[in-house]
Short mmCIF file of all heavy atoms in Angstrom, two decimals:
data_model
loop_
_atom_site.label_atom_id
_atom_site.label_comp_id
_atom_site.label_asym_id
_atom_site.label_seq_id
_atom_site.Cartn_x
_atom_site.Cartn_y
_atom_site.Cartn_z
N VAL Q 428 -36.08 34.90 14.53
CA VAL Q 428 -34.74 34.57 14.06
C VAL Q 428 -34.13 33.53 15.00
O VAL Q 428 -34.10 33.71 16.21
CB VAL Q 428 -33.84 35.82 14.01
CG1 VAL Q 428 -32.43 35.45 13.55
CG2 VAL Q 428 -34.43 36.87 13.07
N ILE Q 429 -33.67 32.43 14.40
CA ILE Q 429 -33.03 31.35 15.15
C ILE Q 429 -31.55 31.39 14.84
O ILE Q 429 -31.15 31.33 13.67
CB ILE Q 429 -33.62 29.98 14.74
CG1 ILE Q 429 -35.13 29.97 14.98
CG2 ILE Q 429 -32.93 28.85 15.49
CD1 ILE Q 429 -35.86 28.93 14.17
N TYR Q 430 -30.74 31.54 15.88
CA TYR Q 430 -29.30 31.73 15.67
C TYR Q 430 -28.57 30.39 15.61
O TYR Q 430 -27.77 30.04 16.46
CB TYR Q 430 -28.73 32.63 16.76
CG TYR Q 430 -29.30 34.02 16.70
CD1 TYR Q 430 -30.13 34.50 17.71
CD2 TYR Q 430 -29.04 34.84 15.60
CE1 TYR Q 430 -30.67 35.77 17.63
CE2 TYR Q 430 -29.59 36.11 15.52
CZ TYR Q 430 -30.40 36.57 16.54
OH TYR Q 430 -30.95 37.83 16.45
N GLY Q 431 -28.89 29.62 14.58
CA GLY Q 431 -28.18 28.37 14.35
C GLY Q 431 -28.46 27.33 15.41
O GLY Q 431 -29.45 27.39 16.15
N VAL Q 432 -27.57 26.35 15.45
CA VAL Q 432 -27.68 25.22 16.36
C VAL Q 432 -26.37 25.10 17.11
O VAL Q 432 -25.29 25.22 16.50
CB VAL Q 432 -27.97 23.91 15.57
CG1 VAL Q 432 -27.99 22.71 16.49
CG2 VAL Q 432 -29.29 24.04 14.81
N PRO Q 433 -26.39 24.89 18.44
CA PRO Q 433 -25.14 24.81 19.20
C PRO Q 433 -24.18 23.78 18.62
O PRO Q 433 -24.57 22.64 18.31
CB PRO Q 433 -25.62 24.39 20.61
CG PRO Q 433 -27.02 24.91 20.69
CD PRO Q 433 -27.58 24.77 19.30
N ASP Q 434 -22.94 24.19 18.44
CA ASP Q 434 -21.83 23.33 18.00
C ASP Q 434 -21.93 22.86 16.55
O ASP Q 434 -21.10 22.07 16.10
CB ASP Q 434 -21.69 22.10 18.92
CG ASP Q 434 -21.44 22.49 20.37
OD1 ASP Q 434 -20.68 23.45 20.59
OD2 ASP Q 434 -22.03 21.85 21.26
N LEU Q 435 -22.95 23.31 15.82
CA LEU Q 435 -23.09 22.92 14.41
C LEU Q 435 -23.35 24.16 13.58
O LEU Q 435 -24.14 25.01 13.96
CB LEU Q 435 -24.23 21.93 14.22
CG LEU Q 435 -24.08 20.53 14.84
CD1 LEU Q 435 -25.40 19.77 14.74
CD2 LEU Q 435 -22.97 19.75 14.16
N LYS Q 436 -22.71 24.25 12.43
CA LYS Q 436 -22.94 25.36 11.52
C LYS Q 436 -24.02 24.94 10.53
O LYS Q 436 -23.94 23.87 9.91
CB LYS Q 436 -21.65 25.73 10.79
CG LYS Q 436 -21.73 27.00 9.96
CD LYS Q 436 -20.39 27.34 9.31
CE LYS Q 436 -19.44 27.94 10.29
NZ LYS Q 436 -18.22 28.51 9.62
N VAL Q 437 -25.05 25.77 10.38
CA VAL Q 437 -26.15 25.46 9.44
C VAL Q 437 -25.73 25.94 8.06
O VAL Q 437 -25.67 27.14 7.79
CB VAL Q 437 -27.47 26.12 9.88
CG1 VAL Q 437 -28.58 25.78 8.88
CG2 VAL Q 437 -27.86 25.67 11.28
N HIS Q 438 -25.47 24.99 7.17
CA HIS Q 438 -24.96 25.30 5.84
C HIS Q 438 -25.94 24.89 4.74
O HIS Q 438 -25.70 25.13 3.56
CB HIS Q 438 -23.61 24.60 5.64
CG HIS Q 438 -22.83 25.08 4.46
ND1 HIS Q 438 -22.66 24.32 3.32
CD2 HIS Q 438 -22.17 26.24 4.23
CE1 HIS Q 438 -21.93 24.99 2.44
NE2 HIS Q 438 -21.62 26.16 2.97
N SER Q 439 -27.04 24.26 5.11
CA SER Q 439 -28.02 23.82 4.12
C SER Q 439 -28.73 25.02 3.50
O SER Q 439 -28.88 26.06 4.14
CB SER Q 439 -29.05 22.88 4.75
OG SER Q 439 -29.60 23.46 5.91
N LYS Q 440 -29.15 24.88 2.24
CA LYS Q 440 -29.78 25.97 1.50
C LYS Q 440 -31.21 25.54 1.15
O LYS Q 440 -31.42 24.77 0.21
CB LYS Q 440 -29.01 26.27 0.20
CG LYS Q 440 -27.50 26.09 0.28
CD LYS Q 440 -26.82 27.07 1.21
CE LYS Q 440 -25.30 26.89 1.13
NZ LYS Q 440 -24.58 27.72 2.08
N MET Q 441 -32.18 26.04 1.91
CA MET Q 441 -33.55 25.60 1.67
C MET Q 441 -34.54 26.54 2.34
O MET Q 441 -34.21 27.23 3.30
CB MET Q 441 -33.75 24.17 2.19
CG MET Q 441 -33.47 23.99 3.67
SD MET Q 441 -33.68 22.27 4.19
CE MET Q 441 -33.26 22.39 5.92
N PHE Q 442 -35.75 26.55 1.80
CA PHE Q 442 -36.86 27.18 2.50
C PHE Q 442 -38.15 26.46 2.17
O PHE Q 442 -38.27 25.76 1.17
CB PHE Q 442 -36.94 28.69 2.23
CG PHE Q 442 -37.33 29.11 0.83
CD1 PHE Q 442 -38.66 29.10 0.40
CD2 PHE Q 442 -36.37 29.58 -0.05
CE1 PHE Q 442 -39.00 29.53 -0.87
CE2 PHE Q 442 -36.71 30.01 -1.32
CZ PHE Q 442 -38.03 29.98 -1.74
N ILE Q 443 -39.10 26.61 3.09
CA ILE Q 443 -40.40 25.94 3.01
C ILE Q 443 -41.51 26.98 3.10
O ILE Q 443 -41.50 27.83 3.99
CB ILE Q 443 -40.59 24.94 4.18
CG1 ILE Q 443 -39.53 23.84 4.14
CG2 ILE Q 443 -41.99 24.34 4.15
CD1 ILE Q 443 -39.78 22.73 3.18
N VAL Q 444 -42.44 26.93 2.17
CA VAL Q 444 -43.68 27.72 2.25
C VAL Q 444 -44.80 26.73 2.58
O VAL Q 444 -44.99 25.74 1.87
CB VAL Q 444 -43.97 28.44 0.93
CG1 VAL Q 444 -45.35 29.09 0.97
CG2 VAL Q 444 -42.90 29.48 0.64
N SER Q 445 -45.51 27.00 3.67
CA SER Q 445 -46.59 26.10 4.09
C SER Q 445 -47.94 26.78 3.88
O SER Q 445 -48.12 27.95 4.26
CB SER Q 445 -46.42 25.71 5.56
OG SER Q 445 -45.18 25.06 5.75
N ARG Q 446 -48.89 26.04 3.29
CA ARG Q 446 -50.22 26.57 2.98
C ARG Q 446 -51.29 25.67 3.60
O ARG Q 446 -51.11 24.46 3.70
CB ARG Q 446 -50.46 26.63 1.47
CG ARG Q 446 -49.45 27.43 0.69
CD ARG Q 446 -49.70 27.28 -0.81
NE ARG Q 446 -50.74 28.18 -1.31
CZ ARG Q 446 -51.80 27.82 -2.00
NH1 ARG Q 446 -52.02 26.53 -2.25
NH2 ARG Q 446 -52.67 28.72 -2.43
N MET Q 447 -52.40 26.26 3.97
CA MET Q 447 -53.56 25.49 4.40
C MET Q 447 -54.42 25.20 3.18
O MET Q 447 -54.94 26.11 2.54
CB MET Q 447 -54.36 26.26 5.45
CG MET Q 447 -53.69 26.35 6.81
SD MET Q 447 -53.31 24.74 7.57
CE MET Q 447 -54.95 24.04 7.74
N GLU Q 448 -54.51 23.93 2.84
CA GLU Q 448 -55.30 23.52 1.68
C GLU Q 448 -56.29 22.44 2.12
O GLU Q 448 -55.89 21.35 2.55
CB GLU Q 448 -54.40 22.98 0.57
CG GLU Q 448 -53.41 24.02 0.04
CD GLU Q 448 -52.47 23.46 -1.03
OE1 GLU Q 448 -52.65 22.28 -1.41
OE2 GLU Q 448 -51.57 24.19 -1.48
N LYS Q 449 -57.59 22.80 2.07
CA LYS Q 449 -58.66 21.88 2.47
C LYS Q 449 -58.44 21.36 3.89
O LYS Q 449 -58.60 20.16 4.18
CB LYS Q 449 -58.77 20.71 1.49
CG LYS Q 449 -59.13 21.15 0.08
CD LYS Q 449 -59.22 19.98 -0.88
CE LYS Q 449 -59.58 20.44 -2.29
NZ LYS Q 449 -59.64 19.33 -3.26
N GLY Q 450 -58.02 22.28 4.76
CA GLY Q 450 -57.86 21.95 6.17
C GLY Q 450 -56.57 21.24 6.51
O GLY Q 450 -56.35 20.87 7.67
N LYS Q 451 -55.68 21.04 5.53
CA LYS Q 451 -54.41 20.36 5.78
C LYS Q 451 -53.24 21.28 5.45
O LYS Q 451 -53.33 22.12 4.56
CB LYS Q 451 -54.30 19.08 4.93
CG LYS Q 451 -55.29 18.00 5.32
CD LYS Q 451 -55.06 16.75 4.49
CE LYS Q 451 -56.02 15.62 4.89
NZ LYS Q 451 -55.80 14.40 4.06
N LEU Q 452 -52.14 21.09 6.18
CA LEU Q 452 -50.93 21.86 5.92
C LEU Q 452 -50.14 21.19 4.80
O LEU Q 452 -49.75 20.03 4.91
CB LEU Q 452 -50.08 21.94 7.20
CG LEU Q 452 -49.06 23.07 7.30
CD1 LEU Q 452 -49.73 24.44 7.24
CD2 LEU Q 452 -48.25 22.92 8.58
N VAL Q 453 -49.93 21.93 3.72
CA VAL Q 453 -49.21 21.41 2.56
C VAL Q 453 -47.96 22.27 2.35
O VAL Q 453 -48.02 23.50 2.41
CB VAL Q 453 -50.09 21.45 1.28
CG1 VAL Q 453 -49.32 20.91 0.08
CG2 VAL Q 453 -51.37 20.63 1.51
N HIS Q 454 -46.84 21.60 2.09
CA HIS Q 454 -45.55 22.29 2.01
C HIS Q 454 -45.06 22.40 0.57
O HIS Q 454 -45.21 21.47 -0.24
CB HIS Q 454 -44.49 21.56 2.84
CG HIS Q 454 -44.89 21.31 4.25
ND1 HIS Q 454 -45.24 22.32 5.12
CD2 HIS Q 454 -44.99 20.14 4.96
CE1 HIS Q 454 -45.52 21.80 6.30
NE2 HIS Q 454 -45.38 20.49 6.23
N TYR Q 455 -44.42 23.53 0.28
CA TYR Q 455 -43.75 23.77 -1.00
C TYR Q 455 -42.34 24.23 -0.67
O TYR Q 455 -42.15 25.09 0.20
CB TYR Q 455 -44.49 24.83 -1.81
CG TYR Q 455 -45.91 24.45 -2.15
CD1 TYR Q 455 -46.93 24.60 -1.20
CD2 TYR Q 455 -46.22 23.91 -3.39
CE1 TYR Q 455 -48.23 24.23 -1.49
CE2 TYR Q 455 -47.52 23.55 -3.70
CZ TYR Q 455 -48.53 23.71 -2.74
OH TYR Q 455 -49.81 23.33 -3.05
N ALA Q 456 -41.35 23.68 -1.36
CA ALA Q 456 -39.97 23.91 -0.94
C ALA Q 456 -39.10 24.40 -2.09
O ALA Q 456 -39.37 24.15 -3.27
CB ALA Q 456 -39.37 22.63 -0.36
N ASN Q 457 -38.05 25.09 -1.69
CA ASN Q 457 -36.93 25.35 -2.57
C ASN Q 457 -35.71 24.76 -1.90
O ASN Q 457 -35.38 25.09 -0.76
CB ASN Q 457 -36.73 26.85 -2.80
CG ASN Q 457 -35.52 27.14 -3.68
OD1 ASN Q 457 -34.42 27.33 -3.18
ND2 ASN Q 457 -35.72 27.15 -4.98
N LEU Q 458 -35.04 23.85 -2.61
CA LEU Q 458 -33.84 23.20 -2.11
C LEU Q 458 -32.72 23.49 -3.09
O LEU Q 458 -32.88 23.30 -4.30
CB LEU Q 458 -34.05 21.68 -2.00
CG LEU Q 458 -35.30 21.22 -1.25
CD1 LEU Q 458 -35.47 19.71 -1.37
CD2 LEU Q 458 -35.24 21.63 0.22
N GLY Q 459 -31.58 23.96 -2.59
CA GLY Q 459 -30.54 24.39 -3.52
C GLY Q 459 -29.14 24.01 -3.10
O GLY Q 459 -28.88 23.49 -2.02
N THR Q 460 -28.21 24.33 -4.01
CA THR Q 460 -26.79 24.08 -3.77
C THR Q 460 -26.05 25.36 -3.39
O THR Q 460 -24.90 25.30 -2.98
CB THR Q 460 -26.12 23.48 -5.01
OG1 THR Q 460 -26.12 24.45 -6.07
CG2 THR Q 460 -26.85 22.24 -5.49
N GLY Q 461 -26.72 26.52 -3.56
CA GLY Q 461 -26.04 27.79 -3.34
C GLY Q 461 -26.81 28.70 -2.41
O GLY Q 461 -27.98 28.46 -2.08
N ASN Q 462 -26.16 29.76 -2.00
CA ASN Q 462 -26.75 30.70 -1.04
C ASN Q 462 -27.87 31.52 -1.68
O ASN Q 462 -27.92 31.69 -2.90
CB ASN Q 462 -25.67 31.65 -0.53
CG ASN Q 462 -24.62 30.93 0.29
OD1 ASN Q 462 -24.94 30.28 1.27
ND2 ASN Q 462 -23.37 31.04 -0.12
N TYR Q 463 -28.73 32.06 -0.83
CA TYR Q 463 -29.80 32.95 -1.29
C TYR Q 463 -29.24 34.37 -1.39
O TYR Q 463 -29.55 35.25 -0.60
CB TYR Q 463 -30.99 32.86 -0.34
CG TYR Q 463 -31.66 31.50 -0.39
CD1 TYR Q 463 -31.67 30.65 0.71
CD2 TYR Q 463 -32.26 31.06 -1.57
CE1 TYR Q 463 -32.26 29.39 0.64
CE2 TYR Q 463 -32.86 29.80 -1.65
CZ TYR Q 463 -32.85 28.98 -0.54
OH TYR Q 463 -33.44 27.73 -0.62
N HIS Q 464 -28.38 34.53 -2.37
CA HIS Q 464 -27.59 35.75 -2.56
C HIS Q 464 -27.71 36.15 -4.01
O HIS Q 464 -27.04 35.59 -4.88
CB HIS Q 464 -26.13 35.44 -2.18
CG HIS Q 464 -25.24 36.63 -2.04
ND1 HIS Q 464 -25.07 37.56 -3.04
CD2 HIS Q 464 -24.43 37.03 -1.00
CE1 HIS Q 464 -24.20 38.47 -2.65
NE2 HIS Q 464 -23.81 38.18 -1.41
N GLU Q 465 -28.58 37.12 -4.29
CA GLU Q 465 -28.90 37.42 -5.69
C GLU Q 465 -27.74 37.97 -6.49
O GLU Q 465 -27.70 37.81 -7.72
CB GLU Q 465 -30.10 38.37 -5.78
CG GLU Q 465 -29.96 39.69 -5.06
CD GLU Q 465 -30.60 39.67 -3.68
OE1 GLU Q 465 -30.59 38.61 -3.03
OE2 GLU Q 465 -31.09 40.73 -3.25
#
Side-chain angles (χ1 to χ4, degrees):
V428 179
I429 302 158
Y430 296 112
V432 176
D434 301 320
L435 293 171
K436 188 178 283 191
V437 180
H438 194 251
S439 51
K440 326 294 185 185
M441 58 182 179
F442 69 80
I443 298 280
V444 172
S445 300
R446 304 173 83 233
M447 288 302 299
E448 299 178 4
K449 298 180 180 178
K451 293 183 179 179
L452 201 61
V453 180
H454 307 302
Y455 299 81
N457 177 268
L458 309 173
T460 66
N462 294 303
Y463 293 115
H464 192 305
E465 57 263 33

